[in-house]
Amino acid sequence: MAERSTAAVDVADNSGDNPLTAKADQATTDGVTESIDTADTAEQSANGPGGERKATEPSIATPELHSGHKLARRYRLEECVTRLDGFSSWRAVDEKLRRAVGVHLLPADHARARSVLAAARSSALLGDPRFVQVLDAVEENDLVYVVHEWLPDATELTALLALGPLEAHDAYQMVTQVSQAMAAAHREGLAHLRLTPSAVLRTSTGQYRIRGLAVAAALRGISSDTPQRTDTEAIGALLYAVLTQRWPYESDAYGLHGLPKGVGLIAPDQVRAGVHRGLSELAMRALVNDGATASRQEPPCTTPDELVKAIGEMPRIRPPEPAFTAPPEYQRTTYQQGTYARPATGPGPSVTQPLPPPPPPLQGRTGKALKWGVSALLIAALGLGSWQLADALLNHDKAGTNETGNTQTTDHSDGDKPHAPVPIKIQDAQEYAPDGSPQNADDVRNTYDGSSSTYWRTKSFIDGPDLVPSVKAGVGIVYDLGSSRNVSTASILLRYPGDHTTITLYATDSLTPSTSVSGMKKIAKTQTSGKRADFTAGSPVKTRYVLLWMTAMPDSPRDDYSKPGHKQAITDVKFAG
């Protein structure tokens, strides 16, 4: 009988591990791409002292499963993220609750299967929302699998570090939240032992969440005689990294350069100018536990609780004040200054041109005659106009209708004809993946580079042609037109013909829309079996950002880039209005 429990764990983080098979096309965990190093020795040197692997275990083949396979008639596997050490990690869909989840799989006879189940169940009992939650832990049909949350709105700390070091307030928030979460876990007897940059996620609300509590180490057979010290040093390494964008050991790791060889561990404020002094000393106290750690000879922090206490003794680091730009000085127009003339140009100050004096009024008998003549002409013109208006009103019904009572219409003049749509240049674009599973984000620019030989392509899916509801809600790209424009037509060139491709254009609010597709304004929709999709809106829609949302793709054979299945590629996108 299958054993079940509710538990919490992350998608496998492979940094520093040696994959036993080829890597996945694009490894994603909780909606964020994770880096994969190629040797166990890299992990040992990158993580520093503490966590150690257990004795070498016999190699066990990873279960051969495929996309579309269902577990417990509920969890449908979509994409393999990791396959190593006899286990695999997948992005999947919970068809019962219609949400994305992550799944770890390993054979029931795997040497670490029992410890993985025990770790997942222990982690589940903690129930702390600061950790990625496990939804199911099951032994069934010779398989052990752990199902966990998938966070599409979260970003890996690895990805944040690729953009540069964090501001002092952001670094302070990270170390505070991670330290408090790990202190709570250790009070319940749980350790992480693989607290790397790819194990820390920042949500869209600015909260930090930790994945892989207990389970990440159990999957890899990692243990430590001093778990609190190991996790504390890992937090110190994270703080060091976000302050300097360097890894505090000699080896490069997680996309960061290590420290120069032979220099030893130097304080972050000596590596990079402008680092907060208090945070620099805190990182050193957490990293070096065998002696004095900073210029003030503060004692080392050997447990997360001690680290939390040390953070509490620091002055609170407040967020930077929002930048305020003073409005430009009010300038009076030349009209308000009393002249329509152009302002004087040149190095000197502009001078308003004086108005010429009005001509004197007409005087004498000639002037009076002219006045009476003009008055008479005006009276005659008013009378003639009034008579014509009355005549038009009296004959309106006769002129406006025919004998059958149908209203007469007149042809539009040439000036009333609609203008031909003007091409709109695309300024930028970004892939839209609300489920946290992008298709090919790096190649989005190929859809508007003007070359028909380059393209952006989707992954290959078993079900189709309609993606909804068995596969996903859709795939898409958001285009930035640079400014608000009236969009009335569009043309899209496709790579794969067949039955059928369905695309809808929506007006949205940014490159990263704040609303779901159902809340966006539809511009136009089309369905095609060829290599071209044309759109014409019922009426022009004014927007800066346009979402191209694809919900059906034809079945296409294998090519140089992907296996057979339902897929599509976009070579060129053009908008006009």
Side-chain angles (χ1 to χ4, degrees):
M1 180 175 296
E3 299 178 8
R4 296 180 180 271
S5 73
T6 305
V9 72
D10 64 304
V11 172
D13 163 32
N14 310 320
S15 301
D17 287 341
N18 184 24
L20 301 181
T21 60
K23 300 173 185 176
D25 180 43
Q26 184 181 18
T28 59
T29 61
D30 290 340
V32 186
T33 304
E34 64 173 311
S35 60
I36 302 179
D37 296 341
T38 57
D40 288 338
T41 55
E43 177 186 354
Q44 294 169 2
S45 60
N47 291 338
E52 299 178 354
R53 284 186 179 272
K54 296 178 181 177
T56 304
E57 298 162 349
S59 176
I60 298 178
T62 306
E64 290 296 332
L65 300 177
H66 57 82
S67 299
H69 181 87
K70 287 187 182 180
L71 301 172
R73 298 183 180 180
R74 175 176 179 178
Y75 304 113
R76 176 167 47 81
L77 303 181
E78 283 201 338
E79 180 182 6
C80 184
V81 173
T82 306
R83 194 185 300 274
L84 71 148
D85 283 358
F87 73 89
S88 60
S89 297
W90 295 74
R91 177 177 56 81
V93 173
D94 182 350
E95 294 187 337
K96 182 176 181 180
L97 298 180
R98 301 186 64 81
R99 62 180 177 181
V101 295
V103 178
H104 296 310
L105 279 165
L106 67 165
D109 59 353
H110 194 288
R112 298 193 289 268
R114 299 292 97 196
S115 60
V116 169
L117 277 176
R121 291 165 181 171
S122 298
S123 179
L125 294 176
L126 181 63
D128 192 320
R130 292 172 291 192
F131 295 92
V132 173
Q133 301 294 302
V134 169
L135 309 173
D136 219 350
V138 180
E139 180 179 359
E140 184 177 67
N141 296 332
D142 298 327
L143 285 177
V144 167
Y145 58 91
V146 177
V147 183
H148 64 88
E149 283 184 291
W150 191 273
L151 306 179
D153 69 332
T155 304
E156 261 187 25
L157 191 57
T158 307
L160 298 177
L161 287 173
L163 303 177
L166 301 187
E167 295 292 337
H169 176 261
D170 292 333
Y172 175 78
Q173 288 295 320
M174 185 281 296
V175 71
T176 300
Q177 295 181 36
V178 172
S179 299
Q180 291 174 349
M182 289 310 305
H186 278 282
R187 283 194 292 270
E188 299 297 326
L190 294 172
H192 197 292
L193 305 184
R194 277 189 58 83
L195 198 55
T196 64
S198 53
V200 178
L201 308 173
R202 187 172 72 179
T203 66
S204 58
T205 60
Q207 301 300 310
Y208 288 89
R209 297 186 67 178
I210 302 170
R211 63 189 181 197
L213 179 65
V215 181
L219 283 167
R220 292 163 178 79
I222 297 174
S223 63
S224 174
D225 295 332
T226 56
Q228 294 205 53
R229 174 170 169 171
T230 299
D231 283 343
T232 303
E233 291 195 26
I235 297 173
L238 294 177
L239 179 57
Y240 196 104
V242 300
L243 293 175
T244 64
Q245 203 183 12
R246 299 288 290 266
W247 194 239
Y249 303 101
E250 290 186 352
S251 299
D252 299 346
Y254 312 110
L256 303 175
H257 291 297
L259 298 179
K261 297 184 182 300
V263 175
L265 182 61
I266 54 179
D269 55 2
Q270 296 177 10
V271 175
R272 174 177 166 265
V275 172
H276 189 277
R277 178 68 180 277
L279 292 176
S280 175
E281 294 181 352
L282 185 68
M284 297 297 288
R285 292 177 65 183
L287 274 171
V288 184
N289 290 320
D290 292 327
T293 58
S295 59
R296 294 191 301 173
Q297 303 294 309
E298 294 287 352
C301 298
T302 59
T303 68
D305 271 321
E306 291 179 1
L307 196 55
V308 170
K309 183 178 179 182
I311 295 171
E313 293 172 351
M314 290 176 52
R316 183 177 180 183
I317 302 176
R318 299 187 178 276
E321 294 292 334
F324 174 75
T325 303
E329 184 179 354
Y330 177 71
Q331 298 288 338
R332 294 176 59 187
T333 64
T334 54
Y335 172 76
Q336 293 166 323
Q337 292 170 352
T339 176
Y340 292 99
R342 291 179 178 271
T345 58
S350 60
V351 178
T352 303
Q353 298 294 331
L355 286 173
L362 294 175
Q363 303 293 335
R365 299 172 65 181
T366 303
K368 291 181 180 179
L370 285 174
K371 290 178 183 179
W372 282 108
V374 171
S375 300
L377 288 174
L378 289 174
I379 293 172
L382 289 172
L384 179 61
S386 300
W387 177 81
Q388 289 179 337
L389 177 62
D391 183 67
L393 292 174
L394 290 173
N395 296 304
H396 175 70
D397 292 338
K398 294 180 180 179
T401 58
N402 57 19
E403 293 179 358
T404 61
N406 295 325
T407 303
Q408 299 292 324
T409 59
T410 58
D411 293 335
H412 293 289
S413 63
D414 291 341
D416 294 333
K417 292 181 180 179
H419 298 286
V422 178
I424 301 173
K425 185 177 180 181
I426 298 172
Q427 303 295 330
D428 196 6
Q430 182 171 309
E431 187 167 331
Y432 177 60
D435 61 354
S437 177
Q439 301 297 296
N440 196 9
D442 293 338
D443 290 342
V444 168
R445 181 173 293 274
N446 294 341
T447 64
Y448 62 98
D449 62 357
S451 172
S452 60
S453 62
T454 59
Y455 52 86
W456 166 89
R457 59 188 174 86
T458 69
K459 299 185 184 303
S460 180
F461 300 97
I462 296 176
D463 295 336
D466 294 319
L467 301 179
V468 182
S470 60
V471 180
K472 54 169 55 189
V475 297
I477 301 174
V478 179
Y479 292 93
D480 181 2
L481 307 183
S483 61
S484 293
R485 308 290 296 272
N486 285 321
V487 179
S488 58
T489 65
S491 66
I492 300 173
L493 298 184
L494 307 171
R495 182 175 174 83
Y496 303 114
D499 185 22
H500 56 269
T501 301
T502 302
I503 302 177
T504 308
L505 302 181
Y506 293 93
T508 187
D509 55 1
S510 70
L511 280 176
T512 55
S514 59
T515 61
S516 62
V517 174
S518 60
M520 301 178 189
K521 183 175 182 180
K522 184 167 74 173
I523 300 175
K525 180 178 181 180
T526 191
Q527 182 173 301
T528 181
S529 297
K531 290 188 175 183
R532 182 186 179 97
D534 293 315
F535 300 81
T536 301
S539 59
V541 176
K542 191 169 186 179
T543 182
R544 174 176 175 175
Y545 301 97
V546 178
L547 168 62
L548 184 157
W549 188 238
M550 190 184 306
T551 54
M553 297 180 288
D555 188 19
S556 303
R558 175 185 293 273
D559 56 21
D560 293 338
Y561 298 98
S562 60
K563 60 187 178 182
H566 293 274
K567 57 187 177 181
Q568 189 54 274
I570 297 175
T571 64
D572 194 30
V573 174
K574 292 182 179 179
F575 297 106

